[in-house]
Amino acid sequence: MSSQSSHTRAPGPLSLPRLKSALARVGLSVGPVAIALVITGGLLVAMGVNPLEYYGFILQKGLMTPSGLQATLTRMGPLLLIAASLMVAFRAGLWNLGGDGQFLLGAVIASAVAAPLNDMGAPSWLTLLAAMAAGTITGGLWAILPAILKAWQHINEIITTMMMSFLGISLANVLVKLVFADPATTVPETRTLPYEQRLPSLFGTHISSGLPIGLFAVIAVHWMMTRTAFGLRLRTVGANPRAALHAGLPVGALTIAVFALSAALAGLAGAVEVIGIEGNVRADWNPAYSLLVVPLVFLARFNGFAAIAFVFIFSVLSIGSESAARRMGVPNHFTLVTVAVLLIVLGLTEMVEQRRRDRAGVQ
């Protein structure tokens, strides 16, 4: 009887460290958000704005009204695809910071494919699939050069992907202004896909079906990286390339696969943004979603389900702040200030946590 009682009590001490570890991970993710909101609240006070009123208005417009909630959920679609894109690269130990260029080129090419197909009377499903495929392929191809330079020349991918991003943004603008410009408009933009021909809305609402596409992508990437042999190979290459080589893994091919998959998802995000929300691409348009999502993915610790939660929070903040800016006289881009503060706090938090690990003797 005594042995049985000791057996049943055994899980208690074992579960306590797990609980502490889980709470620590939650604190490292939620803590920087709370600190960033407090700091930006101080900035609002300095601007003569009541931060509680400002944040309350954001929640009201981004979450509490039917139109605001639908706009928030629609905004999540492309952001989730970008989160999936970043998760692939970061979990594999690589930095794809060229997502904005991949996103814009995917959007432009998707728009250039969708409008003519629609004019030719192609079925709506074929038009949408062709546009998404075009955006996906374009994004993937734009990352091949940084992938090759990383795989066989060991050139820092942070530099090459950012350079390719600048080139991609410039090329996208050139294509909009010179190659794919709609001749019927005076402002440079691609031809507009009619609203009724875009990605269908969900359940009679105004929520774009880009949302389930993004959710599926994030969950699929999370499953691939944590539950499949391919994901294990990618994580092994990222953790220790030399050990991966000694284990017989094709490091070069896997590196290119990571970049191609990551960039393809960013290109798909651009396509979904155009055929699900915007309808066309205007000259000099760049929402810079990729760099905005980077801190969200880090806060989520590369966990897909946590990434969904943080993207939702950011979408509420983004949609609500647009209304709050008009209502309370706050600059339109104050959300970017919040993201910048969040990045700084996140970096400081990581530094403190790393020092704590070093003191504890954890490598």
Side-chain angles (χ1 to χ4, degrees):
M1 180 72 178
S2 60
S3 63
Q4 182 179 1
S5 345
S6 64
H7 177 72
T8 56
R9 285 194 301 267
L14 291 176
S15 62
L16 185 58
R18 294 177 184 174
L19 178 60
K20 289 182 177 179
S21 177
L23 290 175
R25 288 195 299 269
V26 171
L28 288 173
S29 296
V30 177
V33 176
I35 296 172
L37 291 177
V38 170
I39 293 174
T40 52
L43 295 176
L44 288 168
V45 170
M47 296 165 56
V49 177
N50 185 332
L52 295 180
E53 184 180 353
Y54 177 78
Y55 292 142
F57 195 79
I58 286 177
L59 288 176
Q60 179 187 354
K61 292 298 182 181
L63 187 61
M64 303 301 183
T65 64
S67 60
L69 179 59
Q70 292 178 44
T72 293
L73 294 175
T74 296
R75 176 69 57 87
M76 286 180 66
L79 297 180
L80 287 171
L81 284 164
I82 292 174
S85 163
L86 294 172
M87 284 168 54
V88 171
F90 293 163
R91 272 189 171 270
L94 297 170
W95 290 79
N96 175 21
L97 298 183
D100 287 331
Q102 297 150 11
F103 173 93
L104 275 179
L105 284 174
V108 170
I109 299 302
S111 180
V113 167
L117 282 176
N118 180 69
D119 291 344
M120 289 188 294
S124 178
W125 63 267
L126 178 60
T127 298
L128 297 175
L129 285 178
M132 287 191 286
T136 302
I137 293 170
T138 300
L141 290 176
W142 197 248
I144 291 299
L145 180 57
I148 292 174
L149 293 175
K150 174 66 176 180
W152 286 292
Q153 299 300 323
H154 307 292
I155 296 178
N156 191 304
E157 74 274 17
I158 296 176
I159 297 173
T160 56
T161 54
M162 291 190 72
M163 289 177 63
M164 290 298 289
S165 184
F166 293 135
L167 289 174
I169 292 169
S170 299
L171 177 58
N173 282 320
V174 169
L175 292 175
V176 171
K177 294 176 180 179
L178 300 180
V179 182
F180 300 128
D182 185 353
T185 62
T186 55
V187 178
E189 62 184 23
T190 61
R191 294 164 65 183
T192 301
L193 185 67
Y195 181 81
E196 61 275 7
Q197 299 299 321
R198 299 176 196 173
L199 286 173
S201 300
L202 299 177
F203 313 117
T205 67
H206 294 293
I207 303 171
S208 170
S209 53
L211 174 63
I213 294 174
L215 289 171
F216 175 80
V218 169
I219 294 172
V221 164
H222 179 85
W223 176 80
M224 179 191 75
M225 297 301 293
T226 59
R227 294 289 186 268
T228 67
F230 179 66
L232 177 60
R233 293 190 188 99
L234 296 183
R235 288 186 284 118
T236 302
V237 169
N240 194 330
R242 291 187 177 181
L245 277 173
H246 286 301
L249 295 178
V251 174
L254 289 174
T255 299
I256 291 178
V258 168
F259 276 106
L261 179 56
S262 175
L265 287 167
L268 177 59
V272 167
E273 177 79 10
V274 168
I275 64 175
I277 303 173
E278 299 292 336
N280 64 10
V281 179
R282 302 175 302 280
D284 302 317
W285 172 70
N286 179 18
Y289 284 153
S290 182
L291 293 180
L292 291 175
V293 176
V294 168
L296 307 182
V297 173
F298 272 94
L299 284 170
R301 308 288 161 179
F302 313 143
N303 180 286
F305 299 100
I308 293 171
F310 280 110
V311 166
F312 175 72
I313 293 171
F314 176 79
S315 297
V316 171
L317 181 64
S318 176
I319 294 297
S321 63
E322 293 173 2
S323 299
R326 295 189 296 268
R327 172 77 172 254
M328 307 183 69
V330 176
N332 288 331
H333 299 297
F334 190 76
T335 304
L336 298 180
V337 176
T338 306
V339 173
V341 172
L342 179 59
L343 277 172
I344 295 171
V345 174
L346 180 61
L348 293 174
T349 304
E350 287 292 329
M351 181 183 69
V352 171
E353 177 62 16
Q354 185 58 49
R355 289 183 176 179
R356 187 194 66 79
R357 291 195 197 106
D358 291 342
R359 286 195 299 267
V362 179
Q363 302 299 323

